Amino acid sequence: MAEEVISGSGSSGREGEINIRVGLTSRDSLDSRWVFPGEDDFEIEDNGDGDDDLPHRAAVDSEDEDNQEHRLIRTEPRVDSFDVEALEVHGAHRSDYEDLGIARRIIHAFQTLGVVFGDVGTSPLYTFSVMFSKAPIKGDEDVIGALSLVLYTLLLVPLVKYVLIVLWANNDGEGGTFALYSLICRHAKVSLLPNQLPSDTRISNFILKLPSPELERSLKIKERLEASLTLKKLLLVLVLAGTSMVIADGVVTPAMSVMSAVGGLKVGVAAIEQDEVVMISVTFLVILFSVQKFGTSQVGLAVGPALFIWFCSLAGIGIYNLIKYDASVLRAFNPVHIYLYFKRNSVNAWYALGGCLLCATGSEAMFADLCYFSVRSIQLTFVFLVLPCLLLGYLGQAAYLTGNLNGAEKHPFFLSIPSGIFWPVLLIANIAALIASRAMTTATFSCIKQSSNLGCFPRLKIIHTSKRFMGQIYIPVINWFLLVGCLVLVCSMSSINEIGNAYGIAELGVMMMTTILVTIVMLLIWQLNIIIVLSFVVFFLGLELTFFSSVLWSVTDGSWVILVFAVIMFVIMYIWNHGSKLKYETEVERKLPMDLMREIGCNLGTIRAPGIGLLYNELAKGVPAIFGHFITTLPAIHSMIIFVCIKYVPVPVVPQNERFFFRRICPKSYHLFRCIARYGYKDVRKENHQAFEQLLIESLEKFIRREAQQRQLESDGDEDADSEEDTSFSRVLVDPNGSVYSLGVPLLAEFRGSSNSISEASISEEVNPSSPASPLISDAEHSLERELSFIRQAKESGVVYLLGHGDIRARKDSWFIKKLVINYFYAFLRKNCRRGIANLSVPHSHLIQVGMTYMV
């Protein structure tokens, strides 16, 4: 059952989006490559009997695309005017941070400090305060034991787990929970959204490494994941839970960092009360989130030197306190003091674990902010600057506390600062706290963008703050949402001890999800020895569960607020994903059969008016049902229709020469085409409709030329070429550079001597008019020119954007829960999310929208 709604103004928009920048020129692919003749440009969805121009053996697009015969041909570097990258990134497989000069590397290092390490860098402000509030110290040995616990937490979690292991589990430079999920989706079909196509896996950077047949464990895990719907749902739940904790972490990090830094005023000015600290913290937070829109590069470069001074201050104060008070605290590097600490304090020591974990906060930010910087820069900066300064800072605080036990619960960091430099350090500490607040904020932006592109979060307005590095983004709605959450947290929990417990819950939730997902990556993709994998998951997951048990025990202190916040975000993401999945599945079921398209004829049962209609819809295969409403509701339909599908694949960036996938639908006389625009979740898109239309027509003309050249090659083929047609496709080998090679499949490549070489099939050159023309070739040329002329005339008549907008509602006999979720919650999210039309700068006079409501 469907209800239709027509809107000529385009008040609501399509599901997909295409964004093209004006003034960008096409780029050549740098290398020749092996392709499937029918994969990129020459693939016909249906060839009816009514078109004599089409050869009988034209490729047919059906639901059984996997069963088609595939042959490989070698193509030369090609020019494709539709290969548009919104940002000027030179090379699809190259890092944004390669080939930087020495000066740029120094600037980059400062930006790394300002964006990535602010969170973990400010942990000395509050770690010991929270620890000793839960387990009061009774002597110097307790200080040594607590210090030993902090030192080994720093070495094991941020250094060993994240810097040495997890950072390498990135998805082509992208880090975070959803990047791990996308990496797994690239190697196993575990996505619940059924819009995958076999052609997606032929993107050169989609398959990093095919599972080897010799490694049976990896293959069995892959088959089990793909066959079990329960495991797929469980994996998605883990990913959504981790993402919700990242968002919750983005709320609690600014509150904790700013409150602890401003609290130092109570040490310098005795008259300052906690209420004044809260008011000043609120002011700082408002300023912080107000400057977030200026972007990572500008803010990171501005605050990078300040954070460098902060780390140097940590190290300098630590060395001063070691010399002045007690250098014997260095024996805390002996782990036996951890055992003795638990033996003396038992339950109180277990409570203190929640505070101890705070020294490792910001570890997940290093991974989530990986899209902003390179793995190597983060590793080197942490090992040679951040970690030594942190260790010295904690050692210095412990040395001070050995002679001043009364200051353990009253800001030990600020008490340990020499009086002569107290106010400068306090100023730097507050600046560093503001910087730390940005670390998880930028990580939250990145994570939400990834989840939105993969259909797990409502679409929001995303602003790209850097012209050079496309990973640097700003999401206004999320920015102000986080600000409100921070203000509520600061005003409701005036004590940093309560906020610290909430901080631990959010941080540990993300850490545990990351551990599980990295374990799957080790088994499925890295294919490591099972002993290594078990050692990793047992050790780190056991360690994190121990910490988690400590913070959960204190959840009644008020930190339950952060759990409620995380649950709300999880519910929003799950409902959106579930509703999107139901909507897509319904559209697939209701698509128009090709037999019906052949029956109604090339006029589609209506009048074909001059012009081009671009029909946007989420359906990646087949003719969407909403097209039937266009042709039955409108008095006429355009002489040429192009179905445009914006499709996200689980890779960060789709190479320019593999982004657009053209197909012909029905015979030539129908003038129906499909354009599938494939984008990675890291791709950045901006669009001007005039530039887009021009690029689209140019690309379509080149596709038609290549199609004609391919048909000519096939008609000129000898018996050897005919025998190659009968050879079935068996195995494909993918090089690390993306080249595809066949195992045991003859290549269609013995045409190099003629002017109609295979290489010509991949570029947009005209057929050589000077070559001898047989009647068949002459007819083919005339047919080609007629179709190109038809396209130009249709373009001159105008281009209209036909936006297919589908909604879903639960059937009347559905369960109450389903009605509540679909008819109210999901409908509310769809109504208030950003429409795809918002990214189209198209005049309303060029828009026609038809809406459908599906009963599910």
Side-chain angles (χ1 to χ4, degrees):
M1 176 177 184
E3 301 172 1
E4 56 179 298
V5 180
I6 302 180
S7 170
S9 64
S11 57
S12 55
R14 56 181 171 81
E15 297 304 315
E17 306 166 6
I18 297 183
N19 296 285
I20 309 291
R21 286 184 59 189
V22 185
L24 290 181
T25 58
S26 60
R27 293 196 180 94
D28 297 355
S29 176
L30 298 179
D31 301 308
S32 59
R33 62 185 189 125
W34 293 100
V35 300
F36 297 89
E39 167 192 347
D40 294 316
D41 311 296
F42 182 65
E43 189 161 333
I44 302 173
E45 293 201 2
D46 183 69
N47 59 330
D49 299 332
D51 192 353
D52 297 334
D53 293 330
L54 288 176
H56 179 69
R57 47 185 290 276
V60 178
D61 173 43
S62 66
E63 300 301 321
D64 300 324
E65 186 176 334
D66 287 318
N67 298 327
Q68 294 183 33
E69 294 184 359
H70 299 278
R71 289 170 291 109
L72 296 175
I73 60 174
R74 185 73 173 177
T75 66
E76 296 299 324
R78 66 181 186 177
V79 179
D80 190 347
S81 64
F82 206 19
D83 293 339
V84 176
E85 195 70 42
L87 296 177
E88 298 178 4
V89 181
H90 303 285
H93 299 286
R94 210 174 65 179
S95 171
D96 293 335
Y97 308 99
E98 290 181 1
D99 303 329
L100 296 179
I102 295 178
R104 288 295 305 170
R105 289 181 184 274
I106 295 174
I107 294 175
H108 193 218
F110 277 119
Q111 290 177 338
T112 306
L113 282 175
V115 175
V116 178
F117 298 111
D119 195 359
V120 69
T122 55
S123 60
L125 291 174
Y126 44 77
T127 298
F128 277 144
S129 297
V130 178
M131 280 189 72
F132 296 138
S133 68
K134 296 177 180 291
I137 56 177
K138 302 172 183 177
D140 292 350
E141 289 301 318
D142 284 348
V143 175
I144 300 298
L147 174 63
S148 183
L149 196 59
V150 168
L151 295 180
Y152 278 95
T153 301
L154 265 178
L155 293 174
L156 291 175
V157 178
L159 178 62
V160 177
K161 179 187 173 182
Y162 279 92
V163 173
L164 300 182
I165 299 176
V166 173
L167 286 183
W168 293 114
N170 65 85
N171 189 13
D172 286 353
E174 281 282 317
T177 308
F178 260 96
L180 288 172
Y181 181 61
S182 298
L183 186 62
I184 295 170
C185 289
R186 291 169 61 180
H187 294 265
K189 297 177 181 179
V190 296
S191 177
L192 292 177
L193 194 62
N195 65 343
Q196 297 88 10
L197 291 174
S199 56
D200 294 338
T201 60
R202 299 171 199 152
I203 298 174
S204 60
N205 64 347
F206 190 96
I207 301 177
L208 296 178
K209 178 182 177 183
L210 290 175
S212 172
E214 290 77 16
L215 298 177
E216 296 182 1
R217 185 195 70 230
S218 177
L219 290 175
K220 288 180 179 178
I221 293 173
K222 179 177 182 292
E223 293 172 358
R224 184 66 183 274
L225 284 173
E226 294 177 346
S228 174
L229 180 61
T230 301
L231 290 179
K232 291 180 181 180
K233 289 183 177 180
L234 179 60
L235 182 62
L236 179 64
V237 166
L238 291 175
V239 172
L240 296 183
T243 305
S244 64
M245 287 296 182
V246 169
I247 301 174
D249 208 354
V251 171
V252 72
T253 296
M256 184 66 180
S257 300
V258 173
M259 280 281 290
S260 58
V262 176
L265 288 173
K266 297 170 67 176
V267 176
V269 182
I272 293 290
E273 299 294 336
Q274 186 63 27
D275 291 340
E276 284 81 0
V277 171
V278 171
M279 292 177 61
I280 297 173
S281 300
V282 168
T283 303
F284 281 1
L285 288 172
V286 172
I287 295 174
L288 169 70
F289 284 95
S290 297
V291 302
Q292 189 79 34
K293 62 182 179 181
F294 294 109
T296 301
S297 296
Q298 294 89 335
V299 178
L301 183 58
V303 302
L307 204 61
F308 177 75
I309 296 174
W310 165 251
F311 280 113
C312 293
S313 301
L314 279 180
I317 295 171
I319 294 173
Y320 170 82
N321 287 329
L322 282 172
I323 296 174
K324 180 178 180 180
Y325 294 104
D326 188 2
S328 65
V329 295
L330 292 172
R331 55 197 173 99
F333 281 102
N334 185 351
V336 72
H337 290 284
I338 298 177
Y339 167 75
L340 297 176
Y341 179 69
F342 275 90
K343 184 178 180 180
R344 286 190 303 270
N345 295 277
S346 62
V347 177
N348 285 338
W350 178 64
Y351 287 152
L353 285 177
C356 175
L357 175 74
L358 297 181
C359 72
T361 55
S363 301
E364 187 66 28
M366 287 191 293
F367 185 46
D369 285 331
L370 190 58
C371 61
Y372 297 92
F373 307 102
S374 64
V375 173
R376 188 63 68 188
S377 64
I378 293 178
Q379 289 178 325
L380 293 177
T381 306
F382 183 83
V383 172
F384 293 105
L385 175 62
V386 176
L387 182 61
C389 293
L390 288 175
L391 293 177
L392 287 172
Y394 284 114
L395 287 168
Q397 286 189 55
Y400 169 81
L401 290 175
T402 54
N404 302 274
L405 297 180
N406 294 331
E409 301 179 29
K410 301 177 182 179
H411 302 286
F413 172 78
F414 291 106
L415 291 173
S416 67
I417 299 175
S419 58
I421 60 172
F422 175 82
W423 291 107
V425 173
L426 177 64
L427 175 63
I428 293 297
N430 278 272
I431 295 175
L434 294 175
I435 298 169
S437 302
R438 300 191 73 258
M440 282 310 302
T441 305
T442 53
T444 303
F445 291 160
S446 176
C447 192
I448 287 178
K449 179 179 182 291
Q450 295 175 18
S451 60
S452 177
N453 287 347
L454 294 178
C456 295
F457 201 92
R459 291 183 303 274
L460 300 171
K461 180 180 180 180
I462 297 176
I463 298 174
H464 299 272
T465 59
S466 173
K467 295 181 179 179
R468 178 175 176 83
F469 303 119
M470 62 184 175
Q472 300 180 4
I473 61 175
Y474 166 70
I475 306 178
V477 173
I478 297 298
N479 184 69
W480 303 119
F481 181 73
L482 294 178
L483 172 60
V484 172
C486 287
L487 297 182
V488 171
L489 202 63
V490 168
C491 295
S492 61
M493 299 182 185
S494 58
S495 170
I496 64 170
N497 296 332
E498 295 178 359
I499 299 178
N501 198 56
Y503 202 178
I505 291 176
E507 193 75 20
L508 279 167
V510 184
M511 288 182 177
M512 289 189 293
M513 298 304 108
T514 299
T515 300
I516 296 172
L517 292 175
V518 171
T519 301
I520 298 176
V521 170
M522 288 180 170
L523 291 170
L524 181 66
I525 302 170
W526 292 355
Q527 300 171 357
L528 298 180
N529 187 285
I530 191 64
I531 297 178
I532 298 176
V533 177
L534 287 177
S535 300
F536 171 83
V537 67
V538 170
F539 180 79
F540 285 106
L541 190 59
L543 181 65
E544 289 157 1
L545 285 173
T546 304
F547 280 115
F548 197 62
S549 65
S550 174
V551 294
L552 276 185
W553 191 259
S554 304
V555 73
T556 55
D557 294 342
S559 53
W560 57 270
V561 174
I562 208 67
L563 281 178
V564 173
F565 180 84
V567 169
I568 292 174
M569 299 308 302
F570 174 84
V571 170
I572 290 175
M573 290 187 289
Y574 189 83
I575 289 176
W576 181 264
N577 179 266
H578 180 66
S580 300
K581 176 176 174 290
L582 282 180
K583 178 177 175 294
Y584 189 87
E585 289 175 343
T586 304
E587 289 185 340
V588 170
E589 293 174 358
R590 304 288 178 85
K591 67 181 180 181
L592 299 182
M594 298 309 299
D595 291 340
L596 176 62
M597 298 296 295
R598 284 191 291 265
E599 289 177 6
I600 62 178
C602 60
N603 288 329
L604 303 177
T606 184
I607 301 173
R608 302 295 294 269
I612 297 177
L614 303 181
L615 196 154
Y616 288 84
N617 190 263
E618 289 184 344
L619 204 60
K621 294 186 66 175
V623 179
I626 205 166
F627 181 63
H629 285 265
F630 273 108
I631 61 179
T632 57
T633 305
L634 300 178
I637 197 70
H638 299 84
S639 57
M640 176 173 290
I641 298 293
I642 301 176
F643 297 96
V644 181
C645 173
I646 309 301
K647 186 171 183 298
Y648 285 97
V649 290
V651 295
V653 178
V654 175
Q656 299 176 28
N657 60 338
E658 300 175 16
R659 183 179 304 284
F660 296 95
F661 186 41
F662 269 90
R663 294 170 176 168
R664 185 189 292 277
I665 303 176
C666 300
K668 270 188 180 181
S669 58
Y670 282 66
H671 301 294
L672 298 179
F673 298 90
R674 175 178 302 285
C675 173
I676 300 178
R678 299 177 290 190
Y679 287 88
Y681 56 78
K682 190 180 176 183
D683 281 319
V684 180
R685 301 174 290 111
K686 294 182 179 180
E687 179 176 274
N688 176 278
H689 76 100
Q690 294 176 342
F692 168 69
E693 293 168 8
Q694 183 65 30
L695 292 171
L696 175 66
I697 299 306
E698 291 178 1
S699 180
L700 181 59
E701 290 177 352
K702 292 176 182 180
F703 159 70
I704 292 174
R705 287 191 177 97
R706 288 193 293 268
E707 179 190 50
Q709 291 171 350
Q710 178 68 19
R711 288 201 307 268
Q712 181 179 338
L713 287 174
E714 292 171 349
S715 63
D716 291 343
D718 54 11
E719 293 181 358
D720 293 335
D722 292 337
S723 65
E724 291 173 356
E725 298 174 16
D726 300 328
T727 306
S728 61
F729 177 73
S730 56
R731 294 291 303 278
V732 172
L733 195 61
V734 181
D735 261 2
N737 63 359
S739 298
V740 183
Y741 300 92
S742 169
L743 300 181
V745 180
L747 299 179
L748 181 65
E750 301 301 329
F751 295 89
R752 297 178 182 174
S754 64
S755 61
N756 296 320
S757 65
I758 292 297
S759 62
E760 292 175 347
S762 64
I763 58 178
S764 59
E765 297 178 358
E766 298 283 353
V767 179
N768 189 357
S770 62
S771 59
S774 64
L776 179 62
I777 296 178
S778 178
D779 291 342
E781 290 178 349
H782 289 313
S783 175
L784 173 63
E785 290 303 324
R786 285 198 302 269
E787 188 165 15
L788 293 177
S789 177
F790 182 87
I791 293 174
R792 297 187 188 104
Q793 292 176 4
K795 173 64 170 62
E796 293 174 358
S797 299
V799 177
V800 176
Y801 292 75
L802 310 174
L803 305 180
H805 178 65
D807 285 319
I808 58 173
R809 290 187 65 84
R811 291 191 180 97
K812 293 182 179 180
D813 58 348
S814 301
W815 290 91
F816 171 76
I817 298 291
K818 182 177 181 180
K819 290 181 180 179
L820 182 66
V821 169
I822 300 299
N823 297 348
Y824 295 97
F825 294 158
Y826 179 70
F828 175 81
L829 292 175
R830 280 186 59 83
K831 183 178 180 180
N832 292 278
C833 74
R834 184 174 175 84
R835 299 290 188 180
I837 187 62
N839 290 326
L840 281 173
S841 57
V842 181
H844 283 189
S845 58
H846 290 189
L847 294 176
I848 298 178
Q849 178 182 353
V850 169
M852 293 184 65
T853 299
Y854 300 104
M855 307 304 294
V856 296

